[in-house]
Amino acid sequence: MIGPIPCRVASANRPDGPFPLNNLPYGVFSDGGAPRCGVAIGDMILDLAACADRGLIADAGCFGAGALNGFMARGRAEWDRVRAALTALLGQGGQGDLPLVPMAAARMHLPFAVAEFTDFYASRHHAFNVGCLFRDPQNALPPQWDHLPIGYNGRASSVVVSGTDIHRPMGQLRGPQGPRFEPTARLDLELELGAVIGADSPLGARIGVDRAEDMIFGYVLLNDWSARDIQAWEYQPLGPFQAKAFATTIGAWIVPQAALEPFRRRGAQRQAPLLPHLQDPRPGFYDLQMGWSLNGQVMARVNHSVMSWSAAQQLAHHASSGCPMRVGDLLGSGTISGPGPDQVGALLEMTRGGAEPVTVAGQTRRFLEDGDRVDLFAHAHGAGYRIGFGPCTGRILPALPDHGPCPEAAGGLS
Amino acid sequence: MIGPIPCRVASANRPDGPFPLNNLPYGVFSDGGAPRCGVAIGDMILDLAACADRGLIADAGCFGAGALNGFMARGRAEWDRVRAALTALLGQGGQGDLPLVPMAAARMHLPFAVAEFTDFYASRHHAFNVGCLFRDPQNALPPQWDHLPIGYNGRASSVVVSGTDIHRPMGQLRGPQGPRFEPTARLDLELELGAVIGADSPLGARIGVDRAEDMIFGYVLLNDWSARDIQAWEYQPLGPFQAKAFATTIGAWIVPQAALEPFRRRGAQRQAPLLPHLQDPRPGFYDLQMGWSLNGQVMARVNHSVMSWSAAQQLAHHASSGCPMRVGDLLGSGTISGPGPDQVGALLEMTRGGAEPVTVAGQTRRFLEDGDRVDLFAHAHGAGYRIGFGPCTGRILPALPDHGPCPEAAGGLS
């Protein structure tokens, strides 16, 4: 296992910090001016647009943009070249003044324009737990579960960056006198890792799992907020819709796949042989300690390698019909849950559908209450360094009265 | 009922032509140069970019683009202003030479960049027929069917323009010795009308049905190609995914909502009272004769007003959780099927899941075969004129060997 790479930004050399020189995650920030691309290093952001302007890195011509899509679209050879250049620039032999912005003084934006959002169902524990609650233990796991990574198309327009407040959604709920339209009473989180796709594939093309690996630019933390009562009423037969359409929070930093290479690990034991097009030649999971806290109290910790379907397998399945993939596509791993109640990525599982409430700082919780704050976290532990993802946080605000924000105010209707 | 509006383009005055001056559908075309926006009139295309250049219409500054999104984003007041200007320009009192391109000499492109694609399930007949085949008559209609417009997020990247060949998709199919990865054996069409959204709504905003009407720019024909065997294996519990991800064909011409105003009609009788946020103050359907042919033989004819959920109701439901809507969102009506076997919008229903094959030009069909060609059509019949949608056609090609088109060749992976 490689050790920490010494950095001339002192705060990057703390062994427990999330952003050493081994990491170099990409994000989009502003500090008064227009949003532009940067890299997290210690407690600073290296301004990539300024680096390019000053000739510190060869101008990729895409770092002045308010989204990373342009850089992502350049492809893996360019990702590797820029990563090598940044490693040299920030290393202890690096030359030139660095355009650094204190992280504390910067505002983070959505790091890329989400083309489409697809969410999967790849933890066997989660699928079984939820299947028991929505159906029954005999029918918990659908018959295709072990043969393909089950997924559905989510909504890209409601993907927001860490720190965005989430209003409790209204929705149609089943009731004894017929359905009602009310604020959800069963608001939940889902702990996930999101894979960010950095390459297009044309209509009709299938993608092998090995090639799919090369299309993944990096990973973000992802909280797929869910309204379980809306979901229970709506999800048959066409799947979740408004129950998950109101918001999905992602972390502001995209950790490059290269930073996670030393942490590759095999996933859960397979229960059935795979068809050739889904076989993964390499371990497709990571030794990544993940978890989430509620109002500051850690509720669950779980390793990414409990999962059964890797992002590359999911991508290969996604394109197996010839469906084109695009730069900026976001693939949610599915809720990451291990076998124990302190390893689950959703309150639905932890409280068994609300039947067994948990105590958080002296208060009882079945589902999320107004004012609650959820933080996801993830770290890979190297020898003398960590790879962190930064925060993925959201606070629940009360449901909005009437129609919520006025479309006119946003220039939507004119 | 208003009559035909006389036009100085002679071919627009034929009473049975699809594109009279009453229609003015928008599209994107090219004739050797770059794609740009135009309007169909008779058998010609009025070049809107050239009109703006010549000062024939006030320059909206967005007609030189290869997609209508810029114009759509200007909002309803601008749509109305341009429509009035085009009506005057093309009317018999209009002044100035018209920059017309013969339709026969033009190539049509996707008329707008599809932001996200959502598909619904809004014909009670279709939902019942399909529910009987995938489940059973007792469980055919899910309990929420009469209370909300059931929908799911589809895949936007595979929406293609009329005339694009469709390769038979591969997919995972249930088999007696376990699943297989093979070309679909149950390839189907779905006759739909697509609503094109021309306004944004912000995160958290709900949309009333009346306001939703104002956000609809127009309508296109839509064929939601479906692989029924892939669907049967994958769709529980999270809905259709690869079964519908490989291609969705839309017509090249967006018929403005204004052109359909005289044809408003109430939809199917409601079976249950609606919650207030889904109540439609106006008839939300159209007296539109729709249908489809297979290899030139008309297979079904049906009126749009058999449907139970209007596009405005679907849009209101879509945003009911606060999900943001965006310019370029495409909402499929759901398969349009009436009560009779000659009124259904899919082979699945017509052949009862393949059990009762139909004869087409002397050949037997359960599902689509390689080489088959499907054409959708729709017309509203006014007094002395028609509003047409132009073709929505696709031909089935054999499944692609190996991985299909090479991603490298398309510049996707580098």
Side-chain angles (χ1 to χ4, degrees), chain A residues 296-389:
Chain A
Q297 178 176 318
V298 173
M299 303 294 287
R301 295 180 193 273
V302 61
N303 195 286
H304 178 249
S305 60
V306 297
M307 302 296 275
S308 293
W309 297 100
S310 70
Q313 288 173 311
Q314 291 168 339
L315 182 52
H317 175 62
H318 206 321
S320 63
S321 67
C323 174
M325 303 306 300
R326 296 193 293 194
V327 171
D329 281 340
L330 174 64
L331 271 54
S333 60
T335 306
I336 302 173
S337 292
D342 56 350
Q343 296 176 307
V344 294
L347 276 167
L348 179 72
E349 293 169 78
M350 189 171 283
T351 69
R352 297 189 183 271
E356 299 174 15
V358 290
T359 301
V360 184
Q363 292 191 310
T364 293
R365 284 289 180 282
R366 297 168 193 275
F367 290 98
L368 298 172
E369 303 285 338
D370 292 348
D372 279 351
R373 176 189 161 128
V374 175
D375 290 275
L376 311 187
F377 54 84
H379 290 100
H381 294 260
Y385 73 101
R386 283 173 160 208
I387 300 293
F389 282 70

Side-chain angles (χ1 to χ4, degrees), chain B residues 394-409:
Chain B
R395 194 168 46 117
I396 305 302
L397 300 187
L400 286 163
D402 305 325
H403 284 98
C406 179
E408 279 89 345

Side-chain angles (χ1 to χ4, degrees), chain B residues 4-18:
Chain B
I5 307 174
C7 180
R8 59 180 168 131
V9 178
S11 59
N13 297 319
R14 292 198 309 256
D16 58 350

